[in-house]
Amino acid sequence: MNLLATDLTAIEDQFDVIVAGGGPAGSAAAIAAARAGCSVLVVDRGNHPRPKVCGCCLASSGIEALTQLGASSVLNQAQQLSTVRLECGDRIIHMRREGGVAIGRDELDESLLRVAAESGCVILMGSVASFDVDGSVVVRQDKIVRTIRSRVRIAADGLQGTSLDGMSKFEWRISQSSRMGFGATVDGSTLDLCREQILMSVHEGGYIGAVRLANGRIDIAAAAHPSVIRNAGGVALLASQWLGSHLRAGAGFGAAQWRGTPLLTRRRNQLACENVLVAGDASGYVEPFTGEGMSWALATGLAAGNHASAMILSSASSNQWPRIANRIVRSSRMRCLITAQLLRHPRLLRSAMHTAQFFPSLADRVASAFGSNIDAPTRSRIFTKPAP
């Protein structure tokens, strides 16, 4: 039996909780709510496994969220990470990274949805959920359309989700300086890249990162201003330019399936209203690809599922949710926002990397922006690239 393929015509008309989105945030919310005794419906527009534009790095806070969900087994085959290699111009900094792993989003998403299904959730794949102002959810699967009700609704369908399109209170605010993301998963022979290492290379107009997964393939994720991508002739050519000397002889990106995102840096006008909670990337996103995006999603999803179950027991209300969600991600998102601004000024970043030679604590702060355990000590080394 395929636990992830439910027929829309066969499900009930009422659930305690309906979750839009089957990514890390949606699955975490569903698992938490189901294990608290709620009936849960998850509606996901995709069919798994599916590729996503994602840095594929999971920080210690995300691992802790999986442990709290009782789902840490999904990381059994994940690649351990130990270092970050940050490059900018002629500067290179190697930083120790504590406690992180790399796992493909396709693998993580499918594994978490299976845990949700095994926890009793009903999973609708290839379906779209639209939240209505009257408290109902309109679900479409192929040509079938049904209206389903719930006591709590959780929007966790990411940056490109449409579940909240019919509710004007949740409109996006998009930063005018925002960049778009793009990425691909390529053959392991494409790049000269060590296992257990995150590569981040910063350039005028954006940056690119790469990490080797447990199966040997390499995940590449980048952020760039749309004009930079156009001027380069497309994302594959830009990735080739930015990865430069890391490309192995004969390697090409022509056959890679490159995917893009909408503009990244954004936030919702609000995160809750009546019986609606917003979690994960659907609530907002801050550059860059630092290994914290999936961790934010898991942590806020877990909290949203717990809060939804508390709302059903009348021991919590939706107007408490924005404060809870913001408390979970505030400090790390602020750190990433500062990092994103620094990455927009490569000269300033190179100066900071040079200064870090003499002030190791500054290098530790840089390391903390890449999803490491900020309470763990890190030690960094600064190198200058040899002239070609």
Side-chain angles (χ1 to χ4, degrees):
M1 177 181 178
N2 186 350
L3 296 176
L4 307 186
T6 304
D7 184 350
L8 176 56
T9 62
I11 68 173
E12 301 292 330
D13 293 323
Q14 176 87 31
F15 288 84
D16 292 327
V17 179
I18 295 179
V19 180
S27 293
I31 295 166
R35 292 186 174 175
C38 301
S39 60
V40 181
L41 170 66
V42 179
V43 183
D44 191 274
R45 65 180 178 270
N47 289 293
H48 292 254
R50 63 179 177 192
K52 299 282 288 186
V53 179
C54 179
C56 288
C57 298
L58 191 62
S60 53
S61 58
I63 297 171
E64 173 60 26
L66 288 174
T67 300
Q68 292 183 41
L69 286 165
S72 57
S73 61
V74 303
L75 299 179
N76 286 348
Q77 302 303 316
Q79 173 64 57
Q80 297 295 316
L81 298 173
S82 60
T83 61
V84 176
R85 177 187 172 101
L86 176 62
E87 302 179 351
C88 185
D90 63 351
R91 296 284 172 185
I92 302 173
I93 181 171
H94 285 188
M95 300 169 289
R96 203 172 73 194
R97 186 186 194 278
E98 303 289 343
V101 300
I103 182 170
R105 268 295 302 273
D106 52 352
E107 179 183 350
L108 178 65
D109 287 1
E110 185 172 26
S111 296
L112 280 174
L113 276 177
R114 290 193 176 278
V115 173
E118 291 163 0
S119 300
C121 301
V122 176
I123 314 291
L124 281 174
M125 303 303 299
S127 305
V128 178
S130 299
F131 292 0
D132 204 333
V133 293
D134 68 359
S136 64
V137 179
V138 177
V139 181
R140 295 173 173 83
Q141 186 184 65
D142 296 326
K143 297 181 179 180
I144 304 170
V145 181
R146 287 188 61 188
T147 298
I148 303 173
R149 304 197 69 84
S150 67
R151 299 173 67 182
V152 180
R153 298 173 289 174
I154 299 175
D157 48 352
L159 295 176
Q160 301 183 71
T162 59
S163 65
L164 297 173
D165 285 1
M167 304 184 73
S168 59
K169 293 181 179 180
F170 292 99
E171 287 183 350
W172 285 113
R173 292 189 206 173
I174 302 175
S175 170
Q176 294 183 349
S177 63
S178 183
R179 294 168 172 174
M180 66 171 290
F182 64 92
T185 303
V186 300
D187 186 84
S189 62
T190 303
L191 296 180
D192 183 11
L193 179 65
C194 298
R195 284 190 180 272
E196 301 190 13
Q197 182 182 82
I198 302 170
L199 168 67
M200 178 71 80
S201 183
V202 181
H203 303 265
E204 293 290 344
Y207 45 86
I208 191 165
V211 66
R212 191 176 293 275
L213 303 175
N215 62 10
R217 291 176 63 77
I218 294 174
D219 180 80
I220 299 171
H225 192 277
S227 63
V228 174
I229 296 173
R230 288 195 299 271
N231 292 339
V235 294
L237 290 175
L238 183 60
S240 296
Q241 293 174 22
W242 282 357
L243 288 169
S245 61
H246 296 284
L247 285 174
R248 287 178 172 164
F253 289 149
Q257 295 183 355
W258 293 93
R259 299 168 299 279
T261 73
L263 295 174
L264 291 169
T265 304
R266 57 176 65 203
R267 62 189 178 93
R268 296 278 185 185
N269 282 334
Q270 60 187 62
L271 300 182
C273 179
E274 298 175 358
N275 71 338
V276 175
L277 309 177
V278 189
D281 291 354
S283 66
Y285 194 81
V286 175
E287 296 176 49
F289 294 90
T290 59
E292 292 188 276
M294 291 197 298
S295 296
W296 293 337
L298 287 166
T300 58
L302 166 63
N306 287 333
H307 197 74
S309 63
M311 287 172 62
I312 289 170
L313 294 173
S314 300
S315 60
S317 64
S318 61
N319 59 19
Q320 297 170 317
W321 174 244
R323 178 176 53 84
I324 294 170
N326 286 325
R327 186 175 66 239
I328 292 170
V329 300
R330 182 185 296 116
S331 61
S332 59
R333 280 190 173 173
M334 180 58 67
R335 187 172 66 250
C336 284
L337 184 60
I338 294 170
T339 304
Q341 294 303 314
L342 183 62
L343 294 180
R344 280 176 164 76
H345 302 89
R347 289 184 181 179
L348 182 60
L349 178 60
R350 287 195 295 272
S351 297
M353 293 168 70
H354 175 73
T355 304
Q357 296 179 82
F358 310 103
F359 299 96
S361 62
L362 178 60
D364 294 349
R365 288 181 177 272
V366 175
S368 72
F370 288 86
S372 60
N373 182 347
I374 61 174
D375 295 324
T378 56
R379 291 294 176 263
S380 307
R381 304 188 306 280
I382 312 297
F383 299 93
T384 300
K385 287 182 181 177

